[in-house]
Amino acid sequence: MPDSRSYLHTLMRGAVRKHFPKQACAALEIAEYWGGIGATVDYAAFSRKMNGTREWALADAVAIYHLTGSQRILDAIKAEGSDDQPTDPSALLNLAADLIKEGGEGSAALIEAGQGGCLTVAEAQLIDIAEAAARALAAVRSLRGAA
C-alpha cells in the first residue's frame, strides 16, 4: 500500500470534491460537525489541508467519514495506526464512531429539551451515550489486559 498519510490525503481531497460544492462548504460542515451550528471555521487552514501543506487531523477524517459515509477513509484511518495502539484498533474506531453518533444525537436532544422539547427523549439519548461509553471503556480495558 502506498504511504498511508498520502493515501488518506488523496481520499480526503476526493471526498471533499465529490460531496461538497465548494471546499468552504466542507470546512463549514466539519466545523459544525464538531462545534455545532455557528462554529468557528478556519478556511485558510482547511485550504492548506486541501493543497497538502498541512496534514489532516483525525477529527477531520472522522467528520468527513460520517458526513460522506466513505468506508475508504475509515480504512485509511485504521491503516495509519501506530505500534503503541491496541492490536485491534478497528474495534476502537467503530466504538469511537458510535460515541460520536450518540454524542451528536444526545447534544441535539438536550438543546431541543432546553428549548421546550421532550425531556424523556433527552434522557433516552443520554442513556445511549452512557451505554456507548461503557462499551468503549470495556473494550479498552479488554485490549489493555490482552496486551
Side-chain angles (χ1 to χ4, degrees), residues 45-140:
F46 192 83
S47 178
R48 287 190 290 277
K49 291 173 186 178
M50 286 293 289
N51 71 29
T53 58
R54 180 178 277 185
E55 287 191 13
W56 294 96
L58 178 59
D60 297 325
V62 169
I64 290 290
Y65 162 69
H66 279 277
L67 292 167
T68 66
S70 173
Q71 184 64 37
R72 293 171 69 191
I73 289 175
L74 182 61
D75 293 342
I77 293 170
K78 290 180 203 176
E80 185 55 32
S82 66
D83 292 338
D84 62 341
Q85 290 183 337
T87 56
D88 186 17
S90 64
L92 297 180
L93 289 172
N94 291 334
L95 290 167
D98 289 344
L99 277 170
I100 291 165
K101 175 187 165 285
E102 296 299 344
E105 292 173 356
S107 297
L110 279 175
I111 290 168
E112 189 171 300
Q115 296 172 343
C118 182
L119 292 171
T120 304
V121 170
E123 181 181 4
Q125 291 298 329
L126 291 171
I127 290 170
D128 289 347
I129 293 170
E131 290 172 353
R135 287 190 302 273
L137 182 58
V140 167

